[in-house]
Amino acid sequence: MITLTEKRNDLELEIRDLEEKALYRSMPPIGGMPGRTIQIDGNTLINFSGNNYLGLASHPQLIRAMGLYAERYGVGATASRLIAGNTEVHRELENYIAKWKHTPAALLFGSGYQANIGVLTSLAGPDDLIVSDELNHASIIDGCRLSKAKTAVYPHFDLDRLSELLAPSDHRRKIVVTETVFSMDGDYAPITEMKSICNNHGALLVLDEAHAGGVLGPQGRGWAAHLGVEADITMGTLGKAMGVSGAYVAAGKKIIELIINKARSLIYTTASSPALIGTALEALKLVASEEGEARRVTLMNNVNLFNKLLLNIGIKIHEPSHIVPIHIGGSAKAMAVSARCRELGVFAHGIRYPTVPEGSARIRFTLMSEHTGEDIEKGASALSEALKNY
């Protein structure tokens, strides 16, 4: 019989092992208003580690909206959507998303993680096949596992292998799932070709637009809208570029109806706060407006400037993106480079296994429309100085 002391020692050994492998994680104490700078331990740093791409998380219009919606609807939904949490503002936001995404229907979730799990476990089971990119987000990986469907993983962007995996016809349903802008690499999925392959093999195409929504396409509708691709199901977030929190799924009415009836990550959780949902509605309207377009233009200008500065220090980025990974390799080295950047006034966090494959640790810079030219120059300069020592 294992004693309580032995169990504690086992936990301590596991934590020590994480520390020795430079994989130990902790939560930095963050303060202040979200924006182009961030306060950590009382120090103000240039923030290159958030997903607040359009700078909306502290937008005065949205701050006011949060208060107004709270006064009207209160701060809590009090129940799940299927019981007593299906408020007027939830339905209004879903209708707005459906029109914005040019789909028949939409459905809200508490987070992108919950949405991806909800979609995949609702649509797939033991008789089905899910084909997933090897670098897809953890929420997609977990959704595949929880669905109990047969899951086949193809090498990143390998369309020939994708087609091969879809060839068998003895599955009830075939699903291809991919991020559109990959969260750790910033590269763009070839979804035009993927849609054609799905059509040829009778597969559904599921797109995770978490890091593309608000940033790309007309009215910020995402990478698929930019390319004119119509996916069967699209997931997007209301955090990141939208600056708030939560997620949505946009699809046909029958698909949404099925998800409502089967998604445990929707059914068995309290609905998001009406105040938050109302604020997300105002954020989406802002994203689709002329101001939103101006912020997207500024963001892309910042992307181009950062890429130019990186090229000056010998780092070539394959394609312009608001997510810029600087590949380091070892976890310890990546965290050391990140720590040195922080000493130089720049917060650019190290990304390690299991978020990325072993041996591919990196510093991930994420750009915002609010970053100034001086901010971006400081970021590139700090990175250059940090890399000299490692």
Side-chain angles (χ1 to χ4, degrees):
M1 183 176 180
I2 299 174
T3 67
L4 183 58
T5 300
E6 287 173 325
K7 288 181 180 179
R8 286 173 178 164
N9 289 338
D10 183 57
L11 294 174
E12 289 174 2
L13 287 172
E14 192 169 344
I15 292 170
R16 192 179 307 158
D17 182 59
L18 290 172
E19 292 172 337
E20 290 173 354
K21 293 178 179 177
L23 298 178
Y24 181 80
R25 287 160 165 79
S26 61
M27 299 181 187
I30 306 300
M33 186 76 74
R36 48 173 282 275
T37 62
I38 189 168
Q39 292 181 21
I40 305 177
D41 285 327
N43 298 314
T44 300
L45 311 171
I46 306 300
N47 183 14
F48 288 101
S49 286
N51 297 324
N52 185 24
Y53 303 126
L54 299 183
L56 299 184
S58 57
H59 196 292
Q61 182 177 326
L62 301 187
I63 293 172
R64 288 194 297 272
M66 179 73 81
L68 291 172
Y69 277 98
E71 288 180 4
R72 182 174 180 182
Y73 293 101
V75 296
T78 76
S80 71
R81 290 288 301 280
L82 276 69
I83 297 180
N86 185 31
T87 72
E88 176 187 10
V89 70
H90 286 80
R91 302 192 302 275
E92 185 178 358
L93 177 54
E94 287 171 341
N95 290 334
Y96 186 88
I97 291 170
K99 291 177 182 178
W100 175 65
K101 294 292 291 184
H102 297 181
T103 58
L107 179 66
L108 296 173
F109 279 83
S111 70
Y113 193 97
Q114 290 177 313
N116 276 335
I117 288 176
V119 167
L120 295 174
T121 56
S122 296
L123 294 176
D127 297 327
D128 302 311
L129 171 68
I130 302 176
V131 186
S132 175
D133 190 291
E134 66 175 337
L135 298 185
N136 272 337
H137 190 266
S139 59
I140 295 175
I141 295 170
D142 289 354
C144 292
R145 291 170 175 167
L146 289 169
S147 74
K148 297 184 174 64
K150 178 181 178 182
T151 299
V153 177
Y154 61 94
H156 190 48
F157 293 170
D158 187 336
L159 299 183
D160 290 336
R161 184 58 180 152
L162 169 62
S163 187
E164 289 174 4
L165 292 170
L166 286 171
S169 58
D170 56 345
H171 299 285
R172 182 192 65 152
R173 187 175 291 147
K174 299 178 187 178
I175 298 169
V176 174
V177 59
T178 185
E179 296 180 61
T180 56
V181 175
F182 276 72
S183 60
M184 294 299 130
D185 293 272
D187 50 355
Y188 302 85
I191 58 174
T192 301
E193 295 85 351
M194 293 178 71
K195 177 62 175 174
S196 178
I197 291 170
C198 287
N199 289 343
N200 290 338
H201 292 283
L204 297 173
L205 179 61
V206 178
L207 299 181
D208 179 335
E209 292 261 47
H211 292 271
V215 175
L216 301 171
Q219 295 187 315
R221 287 192 282 118
W223 182 232
H226 175 78
L227 296 177
V229 173
E230 292 186 10
D232 297 286
I233 302 149
T234 299
M235 190 284 288
T237 57
L238 301 169
K240 302 181 177 64
M242 312 306 174
V244 191
S245 181
Y248 65 85
V249 174
K253 290 184 179 179
K254 289 299 180 183
I255 289 175
I256 294 299
E257 186 177 348
L258 185 65
I259 294 171
I260 289 172
N261 280 273
K262 295 188 69 176
R264 295 168 68 89
S265 57
L266 169 78
I267 297 169
Y268 300 109
T269 189
T270 298
S272 297
S273 159
L276 185 151
I277 293 299
T279 307
L281 174 61
E282 296 305 311
L284 267 181
K285 290 178 180 178
L286 202 158
V287 163
S289 72
E290 290 184 5
E291 180 181 342
E293 181 59 25
R295 287 174 179 261
R296 283 187 285 279
V297 170
T298 301
L299 175 60
M300 288 305 128
N301 288 339
N302 286 343
V303 167
N304 292 332
L305 174 59
F306 192 52
N307 285 352
K308 179 181 177 181
L309 293 172
L310 290 180
L311 194 59
N312 290 342
I313 62 175
I315 299 174
K316 185 177 181 180
I317 303 300
H318 294 296
E319 53 188 331
S321 176
H322 48 293
I323 300 170
V324 186
I326 310 299
H327 290 269
I328 305 296
S331 295
K333 182 178 178 181
M335 296 312 293
V337 172
S338 176
R340 179 58 180 150
C341 284
R342 186 165 162 178
E343 290 172 359
L344 296 169
V346 168
F347 183 52
H349 204 52
I351 307 294
R352 303 157 283 168
Y353 177 82
T355 306
V356 295
E358 286 190 87
S360 68
R362 65 204 63 181
I363 308 298
R364 188 183 70 152
F365 279 77
T366 52
L367 301 176
M368 297 173 53
S369 61
E370 285 197 324
H371 282 136
T372 66
E374 290 181 355
D375 293 338
I376 294 170
E377 289 175 3
K378 184 172 182 178
S381 175
L383 175 63
S384 178
E385 180 63 28
L387 289 172
K388 286 178 183 177
N389 299 322
Y390 301 98

